[in-house]
Amino acid sequence: MIPAYTCIVFDLDGTLTDSREGIYNSIRYALDRNGFSCPGDDTLRRFLGPPLAESFMTWCGMTEEEAAIATESYRERYVPRGMLENAVYPGIPSLLRSLREEGVFLAVATGKPLNATRPILEHFGLWGFFSSVACPALSDLHADKAVLIRRALNGLPEKARERVLMVGDIPGDILGGQRAGCDTCAALWGYGDNGEMLLSSPTFSAEDPDALFRILRGDRKPPRGPFISFEGVDGCGKSTQIRLFRTEMEKMGYRTLLTREPGGCPISEQIRSMLLTKEDNGMCDEAEALLFAAARAQHLREVILPALSKGWAVISDRYLDSSLVYQGAGRGLGMEWVRAINRPAIQDGMPDVTVILTLDPAEALRRRTKQGAPDRIEKSGGAFFDAAGRAFRRLAEDDPLRCAAVDAGGTEDEVASRVRAAVLSRLSAADPEGGKEVN
Ligand code: TYD
């Protein structure tokens, strides 16, 4: 539990995302278009955070009118291109997820207009975490942080507003938070000069997102990472999709660990070689199911749980559902029996999200037969794989909160964007009451 705060309001640039590259490029573009010379990087750094028009006036000697025109030019480049020259700070998504799991309401108060804020948060998979987002109007060139914070809070239920923390990376965020009556945290990973930040007297400061979580919880535990498994019958294109998805997760600020079942660590890889040998070694179905469970027990304890508790996103190529489907349905041992033998192996180590790639059985067979010599499982025949395919679909229907059935037909990119949408909607379910205020 996080006892101290019912709501945390985040600044965007320099706190959630490192948007420097796109901002600098767009400022250079605006100055060039309007015949002003560009200041050095030390001065450009001062543009990060305060209202843009004010920086044009302070650092480039513009009049209010010139600053308004330069802001227009800036937006010409920033909205189509610059805003995605951007990256989420490592650790942010796990922090937001863990805070949501602890029941804390999350909000954003940013000086960026909504036409840039929303696409950025959506692009990086963060939009779903926030119950309230407050941005200035396009015409408001001097947005006041305290006003934005109050607006973000107005959108939330009464109980969320009881104890509020504002997290920001420049002194203006801290001062705005103080004027809005909140406690404040200096995000030292952002753009502000650390000395100036501390002079603005934040309630506390944090070196990185993990440290913020530890301070809030009052213990040494970093936020827990999400556990995502991928499933589907052999030939569904799982490996390609996992590779693409991992790249996406890293772009979204997750540190990722990719692993597989059976296997993932030395003992479980040894078990794998017994299970997936190309000869018929006479293994009975029960021994097969128990060996998959044994490999899983070791893999979970040695690899998956330690990575999750360090805040890493673990992506596993197959997990428990493969056993339910292949041994339970395919071999006919029954899903309940397979679930029972896996109980001591996994305890409560279940994935947060399971992507089940579904494909027409004939197409899956066609893709499978293109691969090399089949292993023990791949030799099991059409009826086995048909039963497995049906069982995967049933699992997805029975547990839609965790499992997302994703159509694996179409191009790689089409499938990848379906996978991304399915996972994000399950990872970032924002608001316990289901509402979202945007103003
Ligand atoms: P692998 O070569 O990794 O195949 P894929 O790329 O399709 O995942 O082999 C894993 C095989 O093991 C695959 O045929 C599915 C099967 N399997 C089970 O039967 N039960 C299980 O619990 C797991 C994890 C895998």
Side-chain angles (χ1 to χ4, degrees):
M1 253 318 272
I2 302 214
Y5 299 106
T6 51
C7 174
I8 303 186
V9 184
F10 287 87
D11 164 58
L12 175 57
D13 288 330
T15 302
L16 296 174
T17 67
D18 182 355
S19 39
R20 219 171 331 194
E21 185 188 338
I23 294 178
Y24 284 7
N25 288 343
S26 306
I27 293 171
R28 290 191 190 104
Y29 171 86
L31 292 172
D32 191 48
R33 289 235 32 187
N34 293 285
F36 285 83
S37 58
C38 188
D41 276 6
D42 264 4
T43 307
L44 276 185
R45 202 172 63 83
R46 303 271 170 181
F47 279 69
L48 302 165
L52 187 62
E54 286 177 10
S55 298
F56 280 136
M57 288 156 70
T58 312
W59 305 109
C60 307
M62 292 189 191
T63 63
E64 170 107 22
E65 213 177 18
E66 287 168 335
I69 295 169
T71 302
E72 283 288 307
S73 310
Y74 172 93
R75 287 174 183 160
E76 260 167 42
R77 188 187 180 285
Y78 190 73
V79 173
R81 282 184 62 193
M83 67 185 181
L84 299 181
E85 293 164 348
N86 199 340
V88 179
Y89 284 107
I92 285 288
S94 291
L95 168 72
L96 299 178
R97 235 186 115 250
S98 299
L99 291 171
R100 285 290 326 125
E101 278 180 358
E102 303 257 359
V104 179
F105 282 83
L106 303 179
V108 170
T110 171
K112 241 185 187 45
L114 187 62
N115 69 339
T117 299
R118 182 171 185 154
I120 291 170
L121 292 176
E122 283 180 341
H123 180 80
F124 291 109
L126 301 176
W127 177 253
F129 288 117
F130 298 101
S131 302
S132 173
V133 176
C135 309
L138 275 172
S139 57
D140 178 2
L141 300 179
H142 304 278
D144 178 333
K145 198 74 183 199
V147 173
L148 289 166
I149 295 169
R150 282 197 207 101
R151 274 200 3 233
L153 294 175
N154 280 342
L156 295 175
E158 186 75 40
K159 64 172 188 235
R161 286 181 265 148
E162 278 169 21
R163 297 181 304 279
V164 180
L165 176 70
M166 166 71 201
V167 182
D169 68 303
I170 60 162
D173 296 321
I174 304 302
L175 300 174
Q178 289 161 349
R179 280 191 292 119
C182 312
D183 276 4
T184 54
C185 168
L188 299 182
W189 61 85
Y191 306 138
D193 172 274
N194 285 1
E196 285 176 19
M197 282 303 276
L198 299 179
L199 279 178
S200 64
S201 305
T203 316
F204 62 92
S205 60
E207 290 289 338
D208 57 41
D210 286 1
L212 171 57
F213 189 73
R214 284 195 297 267
I215 295 167
L216 291 171
R217 274 187 55 113
D219 61 23
R220 305 196 56 75
K221 264 174 100 164
R224 183 182 169 279
F227 178 15
I228 299 154
S229 60
F230 276 71
E231 301 280 4
V233 288
D234 304 53
C236 67
K238 198 163 38 65
S239 314
T240 309
Q241 286 306 323
I242 289 176
R243 189 171 41 73
L244 296 174
F245 179 72
R246 179 189 204 180
T247 310
E248 275 294 296
M249 288 292 276
E250 294 198 333
K251 279 196 218 145
M252 291 190 271
Y254 285 100
R255 291 158 286 199
T256 62
L257 176 88
L258 183 55
T259 186
R260 68 168 182 184
E261 290 214 344
C265 57
I267 290 174
S268 309
E269 288 290 333
Q270 276 181 315
I271 299 176
R272 178 186 176 95
S273 56
M274 260 191 280
L275 283 165
L276 301 185
T277 167
K278 300 208 188 295
E279 295 103 56
D280 180 5
N281 57 3
M283 185 183 293
C284 69
D285 294 345
E286 287 78 3
E288 176 182 296
L290 287 159
L291 282 173
F292 275 115
R296 184 161 300 127
Q298 187 69 30
H299 181 216
L300 180 73
R301 285 159 184 75
E302 191 172 328
V303 176
I304 298 176
L305 292 179
L308 293 176
S309 71
K310 279 192 273 171
W312 289 61
V314 174
I315 304 168
S316 184
D317 183 345
R318 301 193 181 277
Y319 193 65
L320 172 68
D321 300 292
S322 280
S323 283
L324 297 176
V325 161
Y326 283 73
Q327 283 64 53
R331 299 285 191 225
L333 293 170
M335 286 210 188
E336 271 325 300
W337 186 83
V338 175
R339 215 182 275 284
I341 60 159
N342 273 277
R343 222 160 264 140
I346 64 167
Q347 296 173 344
D348 60 355
M350 279 302 281
D352 299 293
V353 181
T354 296
V355 175
I356 297 180
L357 292 171
T358 61
L359 194 62
D360 168 53
E363 173 63 11
L365 175 64
R366 200 182 56 75
R367 292 194 197 173
R368 259 196 319 271
T369 41
K370 281 208 290 196
Q371 293 161 2
D375 60 39
R376 272 185 63 253
I377 306 271
E378 284 159 349
K379 284 181 189 153
S380 305
F384 174 88
F385 283 107
D386 290 349
R390 282 194 302 275
F392 270 133
R393 285 174 208 266
R394 256 198 328 277
L395 279 178
E397 281 162 18
D398 289 349
D399 190 356
L401 279 184
R402 171 176 69 90
C403 298
V406 173
D407 176 6
T411 66
E412 281 177 8
D413 287 350
E414 282 163 358
V415 182
S417 71
R418 284 179 215 137
V419 167
R420 182 182 194 276
V423 176
L424 287 184
S425 66
R426 283 166 179 78
L427 277 189
S428 64
D431 189 344
E433 271 121 62
K436 161 105 81 189
E437 275 299 318
V438 180
N439 53 53

